[in-house]
Amino acid sequence: MSPALELRALTKNFGPAEIIRGVDLSVDNGERHAIIGPNGAGKSTLFNLISGLHRPTSGDVHLNGNRISGKRAFEINRMGLSRSFQVSSIFHNMTVRENVRCALLHKSGQGHAFWRSVATLQDVKEKTAEVLHQVGLIDKANTPAALLPYADQRTLEIAITIAGGADVVLLDEPTAGMSHSETERAVALIKQATEGKTLVIVEHDMSVVFGIADRISVLVYGEIIASGRPEDIRGDPKVRE
């Protein structure tokens, strides 16, 4: 069986600056894989290459055995990969329910039709409620997203990310800016919401990383210097340095 996600000799240059320098990475189906490293290591750039926001300078990205490097972000999403962003990316003027419903419309095969209200699409309505129950936001379904507390906005973004049913999920610092109790709730939610899926997470909070990841890769100056089980990474002298 092909890996869920595979990067082969991936590079990205911005002018003369080498940001990603020959990254090889393989993530198995159902694996929870964390990518850690200092600020400026290239973690978000790596996510942008995987999800199609940036085109690689060289190298390839494969999703479930299919080459996706060079494809546009929406094409990659339709092939089964979804991601969240380091900064909350939600529709602030829409309600919580409307945000999740937008993520579900493409999955259900619904295009734009001015004579039909989305409120009449029973399957989308039911799935929206199911996702909101799953992430604990059902009681805030009619709240404008802009009025949600910060932690709930991050939760909503996770809901949007998983709503489309992608089997490979990328989360970019999902607990950034959260308190300790909010982080604990977010970790429990991430574990529940990605059950049976492949998860790749960028995270600075080491308690989150070691609480979620099956494997960890360490990215420094655009190169992976170590990759392995959490206990191996914890004791790796290069990582400690």
Side-chain angles (χ1 to χ4, degrees), residues 14 70 112 117 183 188:
F14 292 100
H112 174 69
S117 168
T183 296

Side-chain angles (χ1 to χ4, degrees), residues 1 4 8 40 56 90 100 105 118 123 130 135 137 141 152 160 167 198-199 228:
M1 179 181 293
R8 301 175 183 172
I90 58 179
V100 174
L105 284 174
V118 293
D123 55 340
E130 179 184 325
V135 301
L137 289 177
D152 284 346
I160 293 168
D167 53 11
T198 302
L199 172 67

Side-chain angles (χ1 to χ4, degrees), residues 152-163:
D152 284 346
Q153 289 190 9
R154 298 298 284 178
T155 298
L156 176 58
E157 185 166 21
I158 292 173
I160 293 168
T161 304
I162 66 171

Side-chain angles (χ1 to χ4, degrees), residues 29-98:
N29 283 282
E31 181 181 321
R32 291 172 175 166
H33 197 110
I35 298 175
I36 64 174
N39 289 329
K43 301 183 296 295
S44 289
T45 299
L46 192 65
F47 264 26
N48 288 341
L49 292 172
I50 296 169
S51 60
L53 291 183
H54 292 158
R55 288 176 177 257
T57 301
S58 63
D60 291 314
V61 181
H62 288 77
L63 177 67
N64 295 320
N66 299 306
R67 185 176 182 272
I68 60 172
S69 40
K71 292 186 179 294
R72 291 175 289 181
F74 76 88
E75 294 173 320
I76 294 172
N77 177 260
R78 291 174 182 177
M79 294 174 70
L81 182 143
S82 186
R83 70 163 290 184
S84 72
F85 290 83
Q86 196 170 10
V87 177
S88 288
S89 182
I90 58 179
F91 296 110
H92 288 86
N93 293 328
M94 290 184 178
T95 66
V96 170
R97 176 182 284 111
E98 289 167 341

Side-chain angles (χ1 to χ4, degrees), residues 3-231:
L5 188 67
E6 187 175 16
L7 315 184
R8 301 175 183 172
L10 199 64
T11 71
K12 181 60 180 179
N13 299 345
F14 292 100
E18 294 180 299
I19 306 301
I20 301 298
R21 303 189 292 173
V23 167
D24 293 302
L25 179 66
S26 180
V27 181
D28 291 335
N29 283 282
E31 181 181 321
R32 291 172 175 166
H33 197 110
I35 298 175
I36 64 174
N39 289 329
K43 301 183 296 295
S44 289
T45 299
L46 192 65
F47 264 26
N48 288 341
L49 292 172
I50 296 169
S51 60
L53 291 183
H54 292 158
R55 288 176 177 257
T57 301
S58 63
D60 291 314
V61 181
H62 288 77
L63 177 67
N64 295 320
N66 299 306
R67 185 176 182 272
I68 60 172
S69 40
K71 292 186 179 294
R72 291 175 289 181
F74 76 88
E75 294 173 320
I76 294 172
N77 177 260
R78 291 174 182 177
M79 294 174 70
L81 182 143
S82 186
R83 70 163 290 184
S84 72
F85 290 83
Q86 196 170 10
V87 177
S88 288
S89 182
I90 58 179
F91 296 110
H92 288 86
N93 293 328
M94 290 184 178
T95 66
V96 170
R97 176 182 284 111
E98 289 167 341
N99 267 272
V100 174
R101 192 166 60 190
C102 282
L104 287 164
L105 284 174
H106 171 73
K107 182 191 175 188
S108 66
Q110 302 295 335
H112 174 69
F114 67 86
W115 64 85
R116 182 179 59 207
S117 168
V118 293
T120 64
L121 302 175
Q122 190 61 31
D123 55 340
V124 172
K125 185 177 179 180
E126 291 173 357
K127 182 60 178 177
T128 299
E130 179 184 325
V131 171
L132 291 176
H133 273 293
Q134 183 180 7
V135 301
L137 289 177
I138 191 64
D139 60 331
K140 299 177 181 176
N142 295 319
T143 302
L147 300 183
L148 290 176
Y150 175 76
D152 284 346
Q153 289 190 9
R154 298 298 284 178
T155 298
L156 176 58
E157 185 166 21
I158 292 173
I160 293 168
T161 304
I162 66 171
D167 53 11
V168 178
V169 175
L170 276 56
L171 299 180
D172 195 352
E173 297 194 29
T175 69
M178 291 187 181
S179 68
H180 180 70
S181 60
E182 290 169 342
T183 296
E184 287 185 337
R185 288 195 295 271
V187 168
L189 168 62
I190 290 167
K191 287 181 176 179
Q192 175 196 4
T194 60
E195 186 70 36
K197 299 178 183 292
T198 302
L199 172 67
V200 184
I201 182 172
V202 165
E203 183 57 66
H204 280 291
D205 188 326
M206 290 301 99
S207 66
V208 173
V209 170
F210 287 102
I212 288 180
D214 302 315
R215 289 176 61 229
I216 300 171
S217 292
V218 185
L219 187 72
V220 179
Y221 299 126
E223 296 179 294
I224 290 180
I225 64 167
S227 189
R229 298 173 302 173
E231 56 268 30

